[in-house]
Amino acid sequence: MNVVVFDLETTGLSPERDGIVEIGAVRVVDGRVEEDLRYETLVRPTNAAGEPMIIPWHAERVHGISNEMVRRAPTIEQVLPEFLDFVAGSPVVAHNIGFDGGFMRENARRLGLEWKPAAELCTVQLSRRAFPKERAHNLTVLADRLGLNFAPGGRHRSFGDVQVTAQAYLRLLEMLQVRA
């Protein structure tokens, strides 16, 4: 299946109160991760009123994206139309699609745009099906389970997470087809 695998980094956990600080995505075409077909940008976060937001220290501690790094970055108002063009109605994949999809839906709604991928697929759910006896399904654990490695500095940065999520997606599909 041809899909767009994407990941967001944010200022917090609430799509209604927090902002997006980074978007990373890559296309998977005919079962291959196409690194040349990628989307990657920092985003200067704004609140629901379009006012600038500060990245809280606890969020920066997770992803390493500082206020200085996004000071000159485009806002979501500039970035989201481009990203929606990149997705172009394709099915999308994310690790915990409820989180990333929730931020996309809320930001699209806020800007009068539509988040309408052909389908939303979740590697957490695929991992639960492939490893039903395991309790942990976060991306680090899943990568270890599948023998995948993050690029140096890649964990908790959108494109680094996307690279591993795309590889995990393909491996999980293979595993689940064998069991079917």
Coordinates of all heavy atoms in Angstrom, one line a residue, residues 74-134:
P74 N 8.4 28.8 9.9 CA 7.0 29.2 9.5 C 6.0 28.8 10.5 O 6.2 27.9 11.3 CB 6.8 28.5 8.2 CG 7.8 27.3 8.2 CD 8.9 27.8 9.1
T75 N 4.8 29.4 10.5 CA 3.8 29.1 11.4 C 2.9 27.9 10.8 O 3.1 27.6 9.6 CB 2.8 30.2 11.7 OG1 2.2 30.6 10.5 CG2 3.6 31.4 12.3
I76 N 2.0 27.3 11.6 CA 1.2 26.3 11.1 C 0.3 26.8 10.0 O 0.0 26.0 9.1 CB 0.4 25.6 12.3 CG1 -0.2 24.3 11.8 CG2 -0.7 26.5 12.8 CD1 0.8 23.2 11.5
E77 N -0.1 28.1 10.0 CA -0.9 28.6 9.0 C -0.2 28.6 7.6 O -0.8 28.4 6.6 CB -1.2 30.1 9.3 CG -2.2 30.3 10.4 CD -1.5 30.3 11.8 OE1 -0.3 30.2 11.9 OE2 -2.2 30.4 12.8
Q78 N 1.1 28.7 7.6 CA 1.9 28.6 6.4 C 2.2 27.1 6.1 O 2.2 26.8 4.9 CB 3.3 29.3 6.6 CG 3.1 30.8 6.9 CD 4.3 31.5 7.4 OE1 4.8 31.1 8.5 NE2 4.9 32.4 6.7
V79 N 2.5 26.3 7.0 CA 2.9 24.9 6.8 C 1.8 24.0 6.5 O 2.0 23.1 5.6 CB 3.7 24.5 8.1 CG1 3.9 23.0 8.1 CG2 5.0 25.2 8.2
L80 N 0.7 24.1 7.2 CA -0.4 23.0 7.0 C -0.9 22.9 5.6 O -1.0 21.8 5.1 CB -1.5 23.3 8.0 CG -2.5 22.1 8.1 CD1 -1.8 20.8 8.5 CD2 -3.6 22.4 9.1
P81 N -1.1 24.0 4.8 CA -1.6 23.8 3.4 C -0.5 23.0 2.6 O -0.9 22.1 1.8 CB -1.7 25.2 2.9 CG -2.0 26.0 4.1 CD -1.2 25.4 5.2
E82 N 0.8 23.3 2.8 CA 1.8 22.5 2.1 C 1.8 21.0 2.5 O 1.9 20.2 1.7 CB 3.2 23.0 2.5 CG 3.6 24.3 2.0 CD 5.0 24.7 2.6 OE1 5.6 24.0 3.4 OE2 5.4 25.8 2.2
F83 N 1.7 20.8 3.8 CA 1.7 19.4 4.3 C 0.4 18.7 3.7 O 0.5 17.5 3.3 CB 1.7 19.3 5.8 CG 1.8 17.9 6.3 CD1 2.9 17.1 6.0 CD2 0.7 17.4 7.0 CE1 2.9 15.8 6.4 CE2 0.8 16.0 7.5 CZ 1.9 15.2 7.1
L84 N -0.7 19.3 3.7 CA -1.9 18.7 3.2 C -1.7 18.4 1.7 O -2.2 17.3 1.2 CB -3.1 19.5 3.4 CG -3.6 19.7 4.8 CD1 -4.7 20.7 4.9 CD2 -3.9 18.4 5.5
D85 N -1.0 19.2 1.0 CA -0.7 18.9 -0.5 C 0.2 17.7 -0.6 O 0.1 16.9 -1.5 CB -0.1 20.2 -1.1 CG -1.1 21.3 -1.4 OD1 -2.3 21.0 -1.4 OD2 -0.6 22.4 -1.7
F86 N 1.2 17.6 0.4 CA 2.1 16.5 0.3 C 1.3 15.2 0.6 O 1.5 14.2 -0.1 CB 3.2 16.7 1.4 CG 4.2 15.5 1.5 CD1 5.2 15.5 0.6 CD2 4.0 14.5 2.4 CE1 6.1 14.4 0.6 CE2 4.9 13.5 2.5 CZ 6.0 13.4 1.6
V87 N 0.4 15.2 1.5 CA -0.4 14.0 1.8 C -1.3 13.7 0.7 O -1.5 12.5 0.3 CB -1.2 14.2 3.1 CG1 -2.2 13.0 3.3 CG2 -0.3 14.3 4.3
A88 N -1.9 14.7 0.1 CA -2.8 14.6 -1.1 C -3.8 13.5 -1.0 O -4.0 12.7 -1.9 CB -1.9 14.4 -2.4
G89 N -4.5 13.3 0.2 CA -5.5 12.3 0.3 C -5.0 10.9 0.4 O -5.9 10.0 0.5
S90 N -3.7 10.7 0.5 CA -3.2 9.3 0.7 C -3.6 8.8 2.1 O -3.8 9.6 3.0 CB -1.7 9.3 0.6 OG -1.2 9.8 -0.7
P91 N -3.5 7.5 2.2 CA -3.6 6.9 3.6 C -2.4 7.4 4.4 O -1.3 7.6 3.8 CB -3.6 5.4 3.4 CG -3.9 5.2 1.9 CD -3.5 6.4 1.2
V92 N -2.6 7.6 5.7 CA -1.5 8.1 6.5 C -1.2 7.0 7.6 O -2.2 6.3 8.0 CB -1.7 9.5 7.1 CG1 -1.8 10.5 6.0 CG2 -3.0 9.5 8.0
V93 N 0.0 7.0 8.0 CA 0.4 6.1 9.1 C 1.2 6.9 10.1 O 2.0 7.8 9.8 CB 1.4 5.0 8.6 CG1 1.9 4.1 9.7 CG2 0.7 4.2 7.5
A94 N 0.9 6.6 11.4 CA 1.6 7.3 12.5 C 1.7 6.3 13.7 O 0.9 5.3 13.8 CB 1.0 8.6 13.0
H95 N 2.7 6.5 14.5 CA 2.8 5.7 15.7 C 2.0 6.4 16.7 O 2.3 7.5 17.2 CB 4.2 5.5 16.2 CG 4.4 4.4 17.2 ND1 4.4 3.1 16.8 CD2 4.5 4.5 18.5 CE1 4.5 2.4 17.9 NE2 4.6 3.2 18.9
N96 N 0.8 5.9 17.0 CA -0.2 6.5 17.9 C -1.0 7.6 17.0 O -0.9 8.7 17.3 CB 0.3 7.1 19.2 CG -0.8 7.5 20.1 OD1 -2.0 7.3 19.8 ND2 -0.5 8.1 21.2
I97 N -1.7 7.1 16.0 CA -2.4 8.0 15.1 C -3.4 8.9 15.8 O -3.7 10.0 15.4 CB -3.1 7.2 14.0 CG1 -3.6 8.1 12.8 CG2 -4.2 6.3 14.5 CD1 -2.5 8.8 12.1
G98 N -3.9 8.4 16.9 CA -4.9 9.2 17.7 C -4.3 10.6 18.1 O -4.9 11.6 18.0
F99 N -3.0 10.6 18.5 CA -2.3 11.8 18.9 C -2.1 12.7 17.7 O -2.5 13.8 17.7 CB -1.0 11.4 19.6 CG -0.2 12.6 20.1 CD1 -0.5 13.3 21.2 CD2 0.8 13.1 19.3 CE1 0.2 14.4 21.6 CE2 1.5 14.2 19.7 CZ 1.2 14.9 20.8
D100 N -1.3 12.1 16.7 CA -0.9 13.0 15.6 C -2.1 13.4 14.8 O -2.2 14.5 14.3 CB 0.1 12.2 14.7 CG 1.4 11.9 15.5 OD1 2.2 12.8 15.6 OD2 1.5 10.8 16.0
G101 N -3.1 12.4 14.5 CA -4.3 12.8 13.8 C -5.1 13.8 14.5 O -5.7 14.7 13.9
G102 N -5.2 13.7 15.8 CA -5.9 14.7 16.6 C -5.4 16.1 16.4 O -6.1 17.1 16.2
F103 N -4.1 16.3 16.4 CA -3.4 17.6 16.2 C -3.7 18.0 14.7 O -4.0 19.2 14.5 CB -1.9 17.5 16.5 CG -1.6 17.9 17.9 CD1 -1.6 16.9 18.9 CD2 -1.3 19.2 18.2 CE1 -1.3 17.2 20.2 CE2 -1.0 19.5 19.5 CZ -1.0 18.5 20.5
M104 N -3.7 17.1 13.8 CA -3.9 17.5 12.4 C -5.4 18.0 12.2 O -5.6 19.0 11.6 CB -3.6 16.4 11.4 CG -2.1 16.0 11.4 SD -0.9 17.4 11.3 CE -1.3 18.0 9.7
R105 N -6.3 17.2 12.8 CA -7.7 17.6 12.6 C -8.0 18.9 13.3 O -8.7 19.7 12.7 CB -8.6 16.5 13.3 CG -9.0 15.4 12.4 CD -10.0 14.4 13.0 NE -9.4 13.7 14.2 CZ -8.6 12.7 14.1 NH1 -8.1 12.3 12.9 NH2 -8.1 12.1 15.1
E106 N -7.5 19.1 14.5 CA -7.7 20.4 15.2 C -7.1 21.6 14.5 O -7.8 22.6 14.3 CB -7.2 20.3 16.6 CG -7.4 21.6 17.4 CD -8.8 22.1 17.6 OE1 -9.8 21.3 17.5 OE2 -9.0 23.3 17.8
N107 N -5.9 21.4 14.0 CA -5.3 22.6 13.3 C -5.9 22.8 12.0 O -6.1 24.0 11.6 CB -3.8 22.3 13.2 CG -3.0 22.7 14.5 OD1 -2.7 23.8 14.7 ND2 -2.9 21.7 15.3
A108 N -6.3 21.8 11.3 CA -7.0 22.0 10.0 C -8.4 22.7 10.3 O -8.7 23.6 9.6 CB -7.2 20.6 9.3
R109 N -9.1 22.2 11.3 CA -10.4 22.8 11.6 C -10.2 24.3 11.9 O -10.9 25.1 11.4 CB -11.0 22.1 12.8 CG -12.4 22.6 13.2 CD -12.8 22.3 14.6 NE -12.0 22.8 15.6 CZ -11.9 24.1 16.0 NH1 -12.7 25.0 15.4 NH2 -11.1 24.5 17.0
R110 N -9.2 24.6 12.7 CA -9.0 26.0 13.2 C -8.7 26.9 12.0 O -9.0 28.0 12.0 CB -7.8 25.9 14.1 CG -7.6 27.1 15.0 CD -6.4 27.0 15.9 NE -6.6 26.0 16.9 CZ -5.6 25.4 17.5 NH1 -4.4 25.7 17.3 NH2 -5.9 24.4 18.4
L111 N -8.0 26.3 10.9 CA -7.6 27.1 9.8 C -8.6 27.0 8.6 O -8.4 27.6 7.5 CB -6.2 26.7 9.3 CG -5.1 26.9 10.3 CD1 -3.8 26.3 9.8 CD2 -4.9 28.4 10.6
G112 N -9.7 26.4 8.8 CA -10.7 26.2 7.8 C -10.3 25.3 6.7 O -10.8 25.4 5.5
L113 N -9.4 24.3 7.0 CA -9.0 23.3 6.0 C -9.6 22.0 6.4 O -10.2 21.8 7.5 CB -7.4 23.3 6.0 CG -6.7 24.6 5.7 CD1 -5.2 24.5 6.0 CD2 -7.0 25.0 4.3
E114 N -9.3 21.0 5.6 CA -9.8 19.6 5.9 C -8.7 18.6 6.0 O -7.8 18.6 5.1 CB -10.8 19.2 4.8 CG -12.1 19.9 4.8 CD -13.1 19.2 3.8 OE1 -12.7 18.5 2.9 OE2 -14.3 19.4 4.0
W115 N -8.7 17.9 7.0 CA -7.8 16.7 7.2 C -8.5 15.5 6.8 O -9.4 15.0 7.5 CB -7.3 16.7 8.6 CG -6.5 15.4 9.0 CD1 -6.9 14.4 9.8 CD2 -5.2 15.1 8.5 NE1 -5.9 13.5 9.9 CE2 -4.8 13.9 9.1 CE3 -4.3 15.7 7.7 CZ2 -3.6 13.2 8.9 CZ3 -3.0 15.1 7.4 CH2 -2.7 13.8 8.1
K116 N -8.3 15.1 5.5 CA -9.1 13.9 5.0 C -8.2 12.9 4.3 O -8.3 12.7 3.1 CB -10.2 14.5 4.0 CG -11.3 15.2 4.7 CD -12.6 15.0 4.0 CE -13.7 15.6 4.8 NZ -14.9 15.0 4.5
P117 N -7.3 12.3 5.1 CA -6.6 11.2 4.4 C -7.5 10.1 4.0 O -8.6 9.9 4.6 CB -5.6 10.8 5.5 CG -6.2 11.2 6.8 CD -7.1 12.4 6.5
A118 N -7.1 9.2 3.1 CA -7.9 8.1 2.6 C -8.1 7.1 3.8 O -9.2 6.5 3.8 CB -7.2 7.4 1.5
A119 N -7.2 7.0 4.7 CA -7.3 6.2 5.9 C -6.3 6.6 6.9 O -5.3 7.2 6.5 CB -7.1 4.7 5.5
E120 N -6.5 6.3 8.2 CA -5.5 6.6 9.2 C -5.1 5.2 9.8 O -5.9 4.5 10.4 CB -6.1 7.5 10.3 CG -6.3 8.9 9.8 CD -6.7 9.8 11.0 OE1 -7.1 9.3 12.1 OE2 -6.7 11.0 10.8
L121 N -3.8 4.9 9.7 CA -3.3 3.6 10.2 C -2.4 3.8 11.3 O -1.6 4.8 11.3 CB -2.6 2.8 9.0 CG -3.5 2.7 7.7 CD1 -2.6 2.3 6.6 CD2 -4.6 1.7 8.0
C122 N -2.3 2.9 12.3 CA -1.6 3.1 13.5 C -0.6 1.9 13.7 O -1.1 0.8 13.9 CB -2.6 3.2 14.6 SG -1.8 3.6 16.2
T123 N 0.7 2.3 13.9 CA 1.6 1.2 14.1 C 1.5 0.7 15.6 O 2.0 -0.4 15.8 CB 3.1 1.7 13.8 OG1 3.3 2.9 14.5 CG2 3.3 1.8 12.3
V124 N 1.0 1.5 16.5 CA 0.7 0.9 17.8 C -0.3 -0.2 17.7 O -0.1 -1.3 18.3 CB 0.2 2.0 18.8 CG1 -0.2 1.4 20.1 CG2 1.3 3.1 19.0
Q125 N -1.4 0.0 17.0 CA -2.4 -1.0 16.8 C -1.8 -2.3 16.1 O -2.1 -3.4 16.5 CB -3.6 -0.5 16.1 CG -4.3 0.6 16.9 CD -4.8 0.1 18.3 OE1 -5.3 -1.0 18.4 NE2 -4.7 1.0 19.3
L126 N -1.0 -2.0 15.1 CA -0.4 -3.2 14.4 C 0.5 -3.9 15.3 O 0.6 -5.2 15.3 CB 0.4 -2.7 13.1 CG -0.5 -2.1 12.0 CD1 0.4 -1.5 10.9 CD2 -1.4 -3.2 11.4
S127 N 1.3 -3.2 16.1 CA 2.2 -3.8 17.1 C 1.4 -4.7 18.1 O 1.8 -5.8 18.4 CB 3.0 -2.8 17.8 OG 3.8 -3.4 18.8
R128 N 0.3 -4.2 18.5 CA -0.6 -5.0 19.5 C -1.1 -6.3 18.8 O -1.2 -7.3 19.5 CB -1.7 -4.1 20.0 CG -1.3 -3.1 20.9 CD -2.5 -2.2 21.5 NE -2.0 -1.3 22.4 CZ -2.4 -0.1 22.6 NH1 -3.5 0.4 21.9 NH2 -1.9 0.7 23.5
R129 N -1.4 -6.2 17.5 CA -1.8 -7.4 16.8 C -0.7 -8.4 16.6 O -0.8 -9.6 16.7 CB -2.5 -7.1 15.5 CG -3.8 -6.5 15.7 CD -4.5 -6.1 14.4 NE -4.5 -7.1 13.4 CZ -4.5 -6.8 12.1 NH1 -4.6 -5.6 11.6 NH2 -4.5 -7.8 11.2
A130 N 0.5 -7.8 16.3 CA 1.7 -8.7 16.0 C 2.3 -9.3 17.3 O 2.8 -10.4 17.2 CB 2.7 -7.9 15.2
F131 N 2.2 -8.5 18.4 CA 2.8 -9.0 19.6 C 1.7 -8.9 20.8 O 1.8 -8.1 21.7 CB 4.0 -8.1 20.0 CG 5.0 -8.0 18.9 CD1 5.2 -6.9 18.1 CD2 5.9 -9.1 18.8 CE1 6.2 -6.9 17.1 CE2 6.9 -9.1 17.8 CZ 7.0 -8.0 17.0
P132 N 0.7 -9.7 20.7 CA -0.4 -9.6 21.6 C -0.1 -9.9 23.1 O -0.8 -9.4 23.9 CB -1.4 -10.7 21.1 CG -0.6 -11.6 20.3 CD 0.5 -10.8 19.7
K133 N 1.0 -10.6 23.3 CA 1.4 -10.9 24.7 C 2.2 -9.8 25.3 O 2.5 -9.9 26.5 CB 2.0 -12.2 24.8 CG 1.1 -13.4 24.4 CD 1.8 -14.7 24.5 CE 0.8 -15.8 24.1 NZ 1.4 -17.1 24.0
E134 N 2.7 -8.9 24.6 CA 3.5 -7.8 25.1 C 2.7 -6.7 25.6 O 1.6 -6.4 25.1 CB 4.5 -7.3 24.0 CG 5.4 -8.3 23.4 CD 6.4 -8.9 24.4 OE1 6.7 -8.1 25.4 OE2 6.9 -10.0 24.2

